[in-house]
Amino acid sequence: MKRTGIFGGSFNPIHCGHIALAKEILRQTELDEVWLMVSPQNPLKEENELLDDSLRYQLAQKALEGVEGIEASDYEFHLPTPSYTWTTLQRIQQDYPDREFTLLIGGDNWERFQRWYHWKDILRNYNVVVYPREGQAGTIHADLLPVSSTEVRERVSKGESIEGLVPAVIIDDVKRLYAR
């Protein structure tokens, strides 16, 4: 049975920190692969400057080309919104019965996990790996890269360099798509 980690996020846009973290999770766990689940909408966040779903997914796909064990997924695009993790996990388990799914979440989300829809069911039925976020611990150790999607968008809007923040293969796309 293949062990797959589900790393959800808006990836608005995907950046080098996302990829480095997914690689580190693969290294420290017994997972065979990590799916970066591009989310159409996080029910705990307000919608803000979210680039079109398909464009965020395409950027993630392009950024992950040739990256072993990590792939972009648009699975949640085909589910009702808002997308709740419990619903996603239940549906994806039905669609991929040959996989064992593990939820990957940041320490910030872990701190408010009890607000999540069916959080007790998630804990009863799935493994959860918590990765550190600024100011929060995780169940694995990972050095945090000082980059965020918000910073990338702000730098693009100011005409500043994003070299080293996003994979080189998507720099031009990110500049074009996020320029205001």
Side-chain angles (χ1 to χ4, degrees), residues 149-160 180:
S149 295
T150 301
E151 178 189 2
V152 171
R153 292 191 307 272
E154 287 173 357
R155 292 179 69 90
V156 167
S157 73
K158 295 176 185 172
E160 298 173 357
R180 293 183 194 169

Side-chain angles (χ1 to χ4, degrees), residues 12-178:
N12 189 36
I14 188 171
H15 56 68
C16 293
H18 293 131
I19 298 167
L21 181 58
K23 286 179 179 178
E24 191 58 26
I25 289 168
L26 277 176
R27 193 181 73 72
Q28 290 188 40
T29 65
E30 294 184 2
L31 294 174
D32 298 308
E33 61 186 358
V34 170
W35 291 357
L36 299 190
M37 183 80 61
V38 182
S39 178
Q41 176 189 354
N42 178 334
L44 297 179
K45 287 186 180 177
E46 291 181 29
E47 281 192 68
N48 62 348
E49 303 177 8
L50 209 60
L51 190 65
D52 180 74
D53 294 347
S54 62
L55 293 174
R56 289 182 291 115
Y57 172 62
Q58 288 167 17
L59 280 176
Q61 278 186 305
K62 189 171 182 178
L64 294 169
E65 283 176 11
V67 178
E68 189 74 27
I70 306 168
E71 63 182 70
S73 171
D74 66 351
Y75 187 84
E76 285 192 329
F77 294 178
H78 313 289
L79 299 177
T81 57
S83 61
Y84 292 102
T85 300
W86 171 247
T87 306
T88 299
L89 290 169
Q90 291 292 279
R91 294 281 293 275
I92 207 167
Q93 191 69 72
Q94 289 172 358
D95 290 345
Y96 295 92
D98 60 327
R99 285 181 163 77
E100 176 183 295
F101 290 99
T102 295
L103 177 62
L104 311 175
I105 65 170
D108 54 340
N109 280 316
W110 182 248
E111 285 186 352
R112 59 181 183 256
F113 193 70
Q114 292 180 355
R115 291 176 46 204
W116 285 31
Y117 181 68
H118 282 267
W119 68 274
K120 288 180 182 176
D121 292 320
I122 293 171
L123 292 178
R124 264 193 294 274
N125 292 284
Y126 298 94
N127 294 321
V128 178
V129 170
V130 181
Y131 54 85
R133 292 292 300 254
E134 190 72 39
Q136 288 104 4
T139 57
I140 65 162
H141 173 75
D143 292 330
L144 299 173
L145 289 183
V147 59
S148 71
S149 295
T150 301
E151 178 189 2
V152 171
R153 292 191 307 272
E154 287 173 357
R155 292 179 69 90
V156 167
S157 73
K158 295 176 185 172
E160 298 173 357
S161 172
I162 55 170
E163 193 170 324
L165 301 180
V166 300
V169 70
I170 64 167
I171 286 177
D172 290 340
D173 296 318
V174 170
K175 286 180 182 176
R176 178 177 46 80
L177 292 168
Y178 287 93

